Amino acid sequence: MSEHIIELADISVTFNDGQQKVNAVQDVNLQIDTGDIYGIIGYSGAGKSTLVRVINLLQMPTTGRVTVNGQQLQTLAPAALRQARKQVGMIFQHFNLMQSRTVLGNVIYPLLGQKISKRDRQAKALALLKLVGLADYADTYPNKLSGGQKQRVAIARALVTDPQVLISDEATSALDPKTTAAILALLQRLNRELGVTIVLITHEMQVIKSICHHVAVMENGRIVERGPVAQVFTAPKAPITLDFVETSTNVRAAIQRITRTIKLSELAANQELIAFKFIGQATKKGVISQLSQEFKVDVNILFANIDQIDGQNVGDMIAIITGDITGFNAAVARRADQGVHTRLIDEQVVKGLSD
Ligand SMILES: Nc1ncnc2c1ncn2[C@@H]1O[C@H](COP(=O)(O)OP(=O)(O)O)[C@@H](O)[C@H]1O
Ligand SMILES: [Mg+2]
């Protein structure tokens, strides 16, 4: 087994849409570790679906090489490619179930035409229905199921050919938050119990935060940032990543709300509006209260929020500090390696938010 179950090298996909050329994916290099839960986040039109369709060659790349489990797919003869494609299962936002077949009939479907007895097919499909919590629904038709149940059927169907990779393309986007959480928990359990590598496409940071270990951020067909989820979302570098983070943590809305009522130009010379971020251990210590006493600085908290990213606590706080701000700021800056980060909120930051 190779360390990287998926390797995309120099992938570009260009669509010729009449006169227009659409560069849906541009120069993407991506390695996904075996057993990982890898998130790909981006706004609509970023190229996420096109990119993941390349993984099983549902979409032929215009340039680049696709390697799954050590096999470069473009070099395979048709029969070998059909076999290799079975290593990648997919689920979608709209479930794509066949209404005329029962739940069991849907799950069995990918096995039809394969060398497996009817009895074994049924046993396998039933075992998977049990695994996704739908053992009692084998004979039910899809139109009798809730959205969450339909997605469970789709998951069982995707797993019936024993894929090593499961791609989820916005699979929770049509579900309510509670059902979304249940489906994500199921995917996490399948990753642990079956060892299936999961590639999770979404436009919602909440989805990535709950179960992914790594994330790539896509914009205009390119991966603009990537890494461990906690690292990418606690120290975002690309503006679009910061955008996702601040939307998800409500920091952006808080800054806008605060600066509508408090005019930055009216702050005194010994006052600053500061956004603090506390990561990991820093969320458990009273760093700010210690330093505010030491430097005789007043901290007037206007917003505070604590969140979990890949199992790690991340706190946000917005406050006006008053007093010896130079000494206080220098002392806080020295705590960066302990997970304390600050950002001055000035006119430029506020202007950037409203653009
Ligand atoms: N079959 C196609 N023909 C032409 N353009 C396409 C096709 N599929 C996708 N696109 C375009 O490629 C870009 C990326 O689309 P897509 O991969 O669906 O993005 P996402 O999944 O991130 O929303 C969009 O501009 C979209 O309109
Ligand atoms: Mg899409």
Side-chain angles (χ1 to χ4, degrees), residues 11-12 53 57 64 71 85 103 113 168 201 216 295 297 301 306 315:
I11 298 291
S12 293
R53 285 165 55 81
L57 290 194
Q71 285 185 305
R85 274 192 173 136
V103 163
S168 164
I201 314 308
F295 290 89
V297 163
I301 300 172
I306 194 144

Side-chain angles (χ1 to χ4, degrees), residues 30-324:
L30 182 67
Q31 286 99 34
I32 297 181
D33 293 345
T34 306
D36 203 356
I37 306 183
Y38 201 109
I40 299 177
I41 188 169
Y43 292 118
S44 175
K48 307 179 297 296
S49 293
T50 306
L51 181 67
V52 293
R53 285 165 55 81
V54 164
I55 294 176
N56 54 8
L57 290 194
L58 281 177
Q59 172 65 53
M60 268 293 175
T62 312
T63 64
R65 297 174 306 284
V66 184
T67 308
V68 176
N69 211 11
Q71 285 185 305
Q72 199 200 314
L73 298 191
Q74 292 115 313
T75 64
L76 299 179
L81 178 60
R82 268 198 304 280
Q83 208 53 40
R85 274 192 173 136
K86 293 202 187 103
Q87 299 178 55
V88 183
M90 268 187 116
I91 55 172
F92 308 91
Q93 180 171 356
H94 297 298
F95 324 121
N96 303 357
L97 299 180
M98 290 174 288
Q99 303 301 325
S100 61
R101 290 176 191 263
T102 61
V103 163
L104 187 69
N106 271 276
V107 178
I108 278 179
Y109 191 76
L111 294 178
L112 298 179
Q114 288 198 30
K115 289 195 192 83
I116 168 170
S117 73
K118 186 173 175 192
R119 219 177 124 149
D120 289 350
R121 270 202 310 260
Q122 293 228 349
K124 189 157 192 194
L126 281 170
L128 279 164
L129 283 175
K130 193 170 170 208
L131 188 64
V132 300
L134 288 180
D136 297 337
Y137 291 81
D139 299 327
T140 306
Y141 282 86
N143 65 0
K144 296 277 189 292
L145 301 179
S146 69
Q149 288 171 327
K150 283 180 192 164
Q151 197 56 281
R152 285 171 193 270
V153 176
I155 291 170
R157 179 183 55 184
L159 294 176
V160 81
T161 52
D162 296 320
Q164 309 207 28
V165 178
L166 179 64
I167 296 174
S168 164
D169 190 354
E170 303 277 5
T172 57
S173 297
L175 305 176
D176 62 70
K178 203 173 152 201
T179 311
T180 292
I183 292 292
L184 292 175
L186 173 62
L187 292 178
Q188 190 172 44
R189 185 159 65 79
L190 296 171
N191 168 258
R192 284 197 194 125
E193 289 177 10
L194 307 177
V196 62
T197 304
I198 294 180
V199 184
L200 202 78
I201 314 308
T202 181
H203 63 281
E204 293 172 294
M205 200 178 110
Q206 195 56 46
V207 168
I208 305 272
K209 277 196 315 201
S210 18
I211 66 165
C212 294
H213 306 306
H214 290 91
V215 62
V217 184
M218 268 191 99
E219 186 177 30
N220 298 327
R222 297 181 191 276
I223 293 181
V224 294
E225 188 159 6
R226 72 182 80 198
V229 169
Q231 182 185 314
V232 169
F233 287 156
T234 54
K237 293 187 183 66
I240 185 178
T241 315
L242 184 65
D243 210 64
F244 277 117
V245 172
E246 297 206 323
T247 305
S248 147
T249 55
N250 298 320
V251 169
R252 165 180 304 254
I255 294 174
Q256 286 173 325
R257 194 174 59 240
I258 290 165
T259 53
R260 267 199 296 272
T261 48
I262 295 171
K263 291 279 157 280
L264 291 172
S265 56
E266 288 167 12
L267 291 179
N270 68 342
Q271 286 189 315
E272 275 179 356
L273 183 63
I274 299 209
F276 296 84
K277 191 177 278 294
F278 308 98
I279 299 164
Q281 281 305 315
T283 53
K284 299 191 183 119
K285 297 185 205 150
V287 180
I288 299 305
S289 72
Q290 265 170 32
L291 293 179
S292 68
Q293 284 171 31
E294 191 177 327
F295 290 89
K296 307 223 171 355
V297 163
D298 255 359
V299 180
N300 179 14
I301 300 172
L302 304 170
F303 168 86
N305 178 50
I306 194 144
D307 206 356
Q308 278 231 325
I309 301 182
D310 198 17
Q312 175 155 270
N313 284 329
V314 179
D316 282 290
M317 179 174 103
I318 300 172
I320 292 179
I321 58 166
T322 308
D324 173 11

